[in-house]
Amino acid sequence: MRISALVLSLMAPLALRAQSPATLRVLTDAPAPDSAVSHVTMPPGWHMTTGPAALLYDPANSAAGRFAVEAEIFLFPGTSQEGYGLFVGGSPAGAPSAAWVAFLVRRDGSALVEQRAGGRVSTILAPFPTTAVKPHPGEGTSHNVLRVSVEPDSIRFDANGQRIAAIERGALPLDGLFGFRVGRDLNLHVSQLDITRRLAPARPKR
Protein backbone atom coordinates (compact mmCIF):
# COMPACT_ATOMS: atom_id res chain seq x y z
CA MET A 1 0.00 0.00 0.00
CA ARG A 2 1.40 3.39 -1.01
CA ILE A 3 1.30 6.24 1.49
CA SER A 4 1.84 9.62 -0.11
CA ALA A 5 3.65 12.62 1.31
CA LEU A 6 0.28 14.37 1.35
CA VAL A 7 -1.15 11.78 3.74
CA LEU A 8 1.84 12.18 6.03
CA SER A 9 1.50 15.94 5.90
CA LEU A 10 -2.04 15.52 7.20
CA MET A 11 -0.50 13.72 10.20
CA ALA A 12 -2.30 10.42 9.69
CA PRO A 13 -0.73 7.51 11.64
CA LEU A 14 1.39 5.08 9.62
CA ALA A 15 0.79 1.49 10.72
CA LEU A 16 3.26 -1.18 9.65
CA ARG A 17 3.70 -4.86 10.34
CA ALA A 18 7.11 -5.27 12.00
CA GLN A 19 7.77 -8.94 11.34
CA SER A 20 11.07 -10.37 10.17
CA PRO A 21 11.54 -13.69 12.02
CA ALA A 22 14.74 -14.58 10.18
CA THR A 23 16.61 -11.79 11.96
CA LEU A 24 15.05 -12.18 15.42
CA ARG A 25 17.77 -12.02 18.08
CA VAL A 26 17.84 -13.11 21.70
CA LEU A 27 19.41 -11.33 24.66
CA THR A 28 19.16 -13.12 28.00
CA ASP A 29 19.43 -11.27 31.31
CA ALA A 30 22.59 -13.19 32.13
CA PRO A 31 24.94 -15.23 29.95
CA ALA A 32 23.25 -18.45 28.81
CA PRO A 33 23.69 -21.01 26.03
CA ASP A 34 21.90 -20.30 22.77
CA SER A 35 19.64 -23.30 23.35
CA ALA A 36 18.25 -21.77 26.56
CA VAL A 37 15.74 -19.68 24.57
CA SER A 38 14.14 -20.89 21.34
CA HIS A 39 12.06 -19.14 18.71
CA VAL A 40 10.77 -20.55 15.45
CA THR A 41 8.75 -19.10 12.61
CA MET A 42 5.24 -20.55 12.84
CA PRO A 43 2.87 -18.56 10.61
CA PRO A 44 1.33 -16.38 11.59
CA GLY A 45 4.19 -15.12 13.75
CA TRP A 46 6.63 -16.86 16.07
CA HIS A 47 6.61 -19.54 18.74
CA MET A 48 8.89 -18.85 21.71
CA THR A 49 10.00 -20.83 24.75
CA THR A 50 12.35 -19.57 27.44
CA GLY A 51 14.58 -20.94 30.12
CA PRO A 52 16.04 -17.65 31.42
CA ALA A 53 14.23 -14.34 30.95
CA ALA A 54 15.13 -12.67 27.68
CA LEU A 55 14.48 -10.01 25.08
CA LEU A 56 13.61 -11.15 21.56
CA TYR A 57 13.89 -8.49 18.90
CA ASP A 58 14.77 -7.61 15.33
CA PRO A 59 17.68 -5.13 15.26
CA ALA A 60 16.01 -3.44 12.30
CA ASN A 61 12.95 -2.54 14.40
CA SER A 62 13.32 0.79 16.19
CA ALA A 63 11.09 3.78 16.90
CA ALA A 64 11.41 7.30 18.29
CA GLY A 65 9.19 10.24 19.16
CA ARG A 66 5.48 9.41 19.13
CA PHE A 67 4.66 5.79 18.34
CA ALA A 68 2.69 2.76 19.44
CA VAL A 69 3.69 -0.90 19.46
CA GLU A 70 1.10 -3.68 19.61
CA ALA A 71 1.33 -7.47 19.78
CA GLU A 72 -1.09 -10.38 19.97
CA ILE A 73 0.24 -13.04 22.35
CA PHE A 74 -1.01 -16.53 23.26
CA LEU A 75 0.22 -18.17 26.49
CA PHE A 76 0.39 -21.96 26.76
CA PRO A 77 0.04 -24.11 29.93
CA GLY A 78 2.79 -24.01 32.53
CA THR A 79 3.55 -23.03 36.11
CA SER A 80 5.76 -19.97 35.68
CA GLN A 81 4.25 -16.71 36.96
CA GLU A 82 6.80 -14.58 35.11
CA GLY A 83 5.65 -11.67 32.98
CA TYR A 84 5.60 -11.48 29.20
CA GLY A 85 4.87 -8.67 26.78
CA LEU A 86 6.51 -5.77 24.94
CA PHE A 87 9.60 -3.66 25.47
CA VAL A 88 10.48 -0.25 24.01
CA GLY A 89 13.45 2.08 24.35
CA GLY A 90 15.85 -0.78 23.88
CA SER A 91 19.60 -0.44 23.61
CA PRO A 92 20.59 -4.09 24.15
CA ALA A 93 24.17 -4.02 22.92
CA GLY A 94 25.03 -6.46 25.70
CA ALA A 95 23.47 -7.61 28.95
CA PRO A 96 25.43 -5.27 31.28
CA SER A 97 24.53 -2.15 29.28
CA ALA A 98 21.03 -3.14 28.15
CA ALA A 99 18.27 -0.58 28.71
CA TRP A 100 14.54 -0.90 28.11
CA VAL A 101 11.02 -0.33 29.49
CA ALA A 102 8.64 -3.31 29.36
CA PHE A 103 4.86 -3.71 29.70
CA LEU A 104 4.13 -7.23 30.94
CA VAL A 105 1.18 -9.40 31.90
CA ARG A 106 1.21 -12.64 33.88
CA ARG A 107 -0.57 -15.97 33.97
CA ASP A 108 -2.77 -14.84 36.87
CA GLY A 109 -4.16 -11.89 34.87
CA SER A 110 -2.08 -9.19 36.51
CA ALA A 111 0.02 -6.54 34.75
CA LEU A 112 3.24 -4.72 35.60
CA VAL A 113 5.83 -2.34 34.13
CA GLU A 114 9.58 -2.91 34.47
CA GLN A 115 12.69 -0.99 33.50
CA ARG A 116 16.26 -2.07 32.98
CA ALA A 117 18.99 0.51 33.45
CA GLY A 118 22.46 0.49 34.95
CA GLY A 119 22.69 -3.29 34.79
CA ARG A 120 19.62 -4.08 36.86
CA VAL A 121 15.88 -4.55 36.44
CA SER A 122 13.54 -2.47 38.60
CA THR A 123 9.77 -2.25 38.90
CA ILE A 124 8.04 0.96 37.79
CA LEU A 125 4.52 -0.35 38.40
CA ALA A 126 4.23 -3.33 40.73
CA PRO A 127 1.99 -6.22 39.59
CA PHE A 128 -1.67 -5.22 39.84
CA PRO A 129 -4.88 -7.10 39.00
CA THR A 130 -6.97 -5.92 36.08
CA THR A 131 -10.03 -7.37 34.40
CA ALA A 132 -8.64 -6.21 31.04
CA VAL A 133 -6.00 -8.97 31.07
CA LYS A 134 -7.21 -12.51 30.41
CA PRO A 135 -5.72 -14.99 32.89
CA HIS A 136 -4.65 -18.44 31.75
CA PRO A 137 -7.46 -20.95 32.31
CA GLY A 138 -5.10 -23.82 33.18
CA GLU A 139 -5.65 -25.68 29.91
CA GLY A 140 -5.43 -24.49 26.33
CA THR A 141 -4.24 -20.92 25.82
CA SER A 142 -4.98 -17.42 27.00
CA HIS A 143 -4.95 -14.62 24.45
CA ASN A 144 -4.03 -10.98 25.09
CA VAL A 145 -3.46 -8.04 22.77
CA LEU A 146 -0.98 -5.63 24.38
CA ARG A 147 -0.24 -2.07 23.27
CA VAL A 148 2.35 0.47 24.41
CA SER A 149 1.76 4.06 23.27
CA VAL A 150 4.56 6.61 23.64
CA GLU A 151 3.49 10.26 23.74
CA PRO A 152 5.50 13.44 24.40
CA ASP A 153 4.34 13.57 28.03
CA SER A 154 3.55 9.97 28.92
CA ILE A 155 3.70 6.27 28.13
CA ARG A 156 0.36 4.45 28.08
CA PHE A 157 -0.47 0.77 28.43
CA ASP A 158 -3.50 -1.00 26.96
CA ALA A 159 -4.65 -4.61 27.19
CA ASN A 160 -7.33 -5.91 24.83
CA GLY A 161 -8.39 -2.41 23.88
CA GLN A 162 -8.63 -1.05 27.44
CA ARG A 163 -6.30 1.54 28.98
CA ILE A 164 -5.04 0.06 32.23
CA ALA A 165 -2.16 2.36 33.20
CA ALA A 166 -0.18 5.45 32.21
CA ILE A 167 2.95 7.02 33.64
CA GLU A 168 4.80 10.26 33.03
CA ARG A 169 7.47 10.00 30.38
CA GLY A 170 9.94 12.06 32.38
CA ALA A 171 13.49 10.92 31.74
CA LEU A 172 12.55 7.39 30.65
CA PRO A 173 14.59 6.35 27.59
CA LEU A 174 11.79 5.35 25.21
CA ASP A 175 13.47 5.86 21.83
CA GLY A 176 15.24 2.79 20.47
CA LEU A 177 14.64 -0.86 19.70
CA PHE A 178 11.33 -2.58 20.43
CA GLY A 179 10.30 -6.20 20.65
CA PHE A 180 9.30 -8.88 23.15
CA ARG A 181 10.17 -9.31 26.81
CA VAL A 182 9.60 -12.89 28.00
CA GLY A 183 10.16 -14.08 31.56
CA ARG A 184 11.55 -17.41 32.72
CA ASP A 185 10.12 -20.77 31.69
CA LEU A 186 7.33 -19.54 29.43
CA ASN A 187 5.80 -21.00 26.29
CA LEU A 188 4.23 -18.39 23.95
CA HIS A 189 3.00 -17.82 20.45
CA VAL A 190 3.05 -14.27 19.05
CA SER A 191 0.82 -13.87 16.01
CA GLN A 192 1.72 -10.28 15.14
CA LEU A 193 3.84 -7.27 16.02
CA ASP A 194 2.71 -3.88 14.70
CA ILE A 195 4.24 -0.42 14.90
CA THR A 196 2.29 2.80 14.39
CA ARG A 197 4.38 5.92 13.90
CA ARG A 198 2.94 9.38 14.44
CA LEU A 199 4.27 12.81 13.62
CA ALA A 200 4.79 15.24 16.49
CA PRO A 201 1.65 17.29 17.22
CA ALA A 202 1.59 20.72 15.68
CA ARG A 203 2.41 23.58 18.03
CA PRO A 204 -0.46 26.02 18.62
CA LYS A 205 -0.15 29.33 16.85
CA ARG A 206 0.43 32.37 19.04
Side-chain angles (χ1 to χ4, degrees), residues 12-87:
L14 174 59
L16 301 171
R17 182 61 51 85
Q19 290 197 18
S20 48
T23 56
L24 210 62
R25 295 185 182 177
V26 174
L27 178 65
T28 55
D29 286 7
D34 292 344
S35 59
V37 176
S38 69
H39 60 90
V40 295
T41 304
M42 190 179 292
W46 307 267
H47 197 89
M48 307 173 182
T49 57
T50 59
L55 302 183
L56 294 96
Y57 66 99
D58 182 337
N61 288 341
S62 64
R66 296 181 70 217
F67 64 91
V69 179
E70 182 173 288
E72 181 179 44
I73 305 176
F74 297 80
L75 177 65
F76 286 80
T79 58
S80 173
Q81 291 297 327
E82 293 278 305
Y84 62 92
L86 292 165
F87 80 87

Side-chain angles (χ1 to χ4, degrees), residues 141-201:
T141 63
S142 59
H143 164 231
N144 287 288
V145 177
L146 306 181
R147 184 178 180 88
V148 177
S149 301
V150 176
E151 297 292 344
D153 61 343
S154 63
I155 177 171
R156 305 166 188 180
F157 308 100
D158 295 6
N160 301 309
Q162 298 183 49
R163 177 67 40 79
I164 62 172
I167 59 176
E168 291 185 2
R169 180 166 183 160
L172 288 174
L174 302 178
D175 295 345
L177 298 170
F178 63 86
F180 309 109
R181 169 68 176 169
V182 185
R184 291 173 296 179
D185 300 320
L186 290 174
N187 184 359
L188 306 173
H189 184 82
V190 180
S191 66
Q192 68 183 59
L193 174 63
D194 294 330
I195 173 73
T196 302
R197 306 180 195 277
R198 300 185 180 92
L199 298 180

